[in-house]
Amino acid sequence: MRKPRDEFTLDLFNDWTPPRVSVGFEPDAFPGTRLASRISRAIARVLKDCGKDRRTVAAQMSERLGYKVTKETLEAYASEAKTQNNITVERFIALIHATGKTELLGFLAEGFDMAVVPRKYENVIELALIEDHARMIETRKKTLQARLRGAQ
């Protein structure tokens, strides 16, 4: 392999990978068929990765919700063994706010074969859909024109 002339310039074909557009965990991060276990593992991962201790997360959730959430409650949500302690939707939302880990939104969406994308990409997606539709219309138009020519 040839040595690059400039070691500070990226090779756009080898040194760059596009950023991930959707939010979520890596594919199959929480395998298994039992949804409650997968949710517990996702919560445990977020609590571990958020950079805050569980008391701080619980306090921030409590502030957002207007009632107390304890560190012990968070630990129960993160435990696969505590099958009677399922997180509610409002607490799940508060957990996302407290941790800043929007990967949990992607975790929910993936179960529906959907993706969650930041709002800044919304116009790009709509434009792509419009362009796809325009191509479909143009193809249909050409098909009809060819039929008309063939009928004459």
Side-chain angles (χ1 to χ4, degrees):
M1 187 167 128
R2 188 176 118 219
K3 184 178 179 198
R5 288 178 278 155
D6 179 2
E7 294 179 6
F8 299 104
T9 302
L10 288 177
D11 179 338
L12 293 179
F13 298 104
N14 293 321
D15 298 335
W16 183 82
T17 55
R20 187 170 174 178
V21 176
S22 61
V23 298
F25 298 102
E26 60 279 352
D28 299 319
F30 309 106
T33 56
R34 208 169 137 255
L35 183 58
S37 292
R38 295 180 65 238
I39 292 169
S40 292
R41 284 184 274 147
I43 291 171
R45 167 97 168 264
V46 160
L47 290 170
K48 179 182 172 198
D49 293 350
C50 75
K52 299 176 183 177
D53 64 77
R54 292 182 181 194
R55 285 197 197 288
T56 301
V57 172
Q60 289 176 345
M61 287 176 67
S62 299
E63 185 176 326
R64 182 166 201 87
L65 293 167
Y67 59 84
K68 185 140 180 80
V69 176
T70 65
K71 172 186 175 253
E72 291 73 27
T73 300
L74 287 180
E75 289 172 352
Y77 293 153
S79 171
E80 290 183 71
K82 306 256 176 144
T83 57
Q84 300 301 338
N85 293 288
N86 297 324
I87 192 167
T88 64
V89 172
E90 69 176 345
R91 288 181 178 210
F92 195 81
I93 292 168
L95 177 65
I96 294 168
H97 280 286
T99 61
K101 295 302 214 171
T102 56
E103 291 93 333
L104 287 171
L105 295 170
F107 172 79
L108 289 178
E110 81 178 22
F112 298 94
D113 198 29
M114 304 288 281
V116 176
V117 297
R119 189 170 299 280
K120 69 181 180 179
Y121 297 122
E122 194 172 26
N123 291 332
V124 174
I125 293 167
E126 184 177 357
L127 181 61
L129 291 170
I130 289 169
E131 289 171 349
D132 283 349
H133 188 71
R135 277 191 292 278
M136 189 175 70
I137 289 171
E138 189 59 32
T139 300
R140 180 69 179 149
K141 182 179 168 184
K142 287 178 181 177
T143 301
L144 292 173
Q145 288 171 338
R147 284 183 188 165
L148 284 172
R149 283 189 298 275
Q152 294 173 1

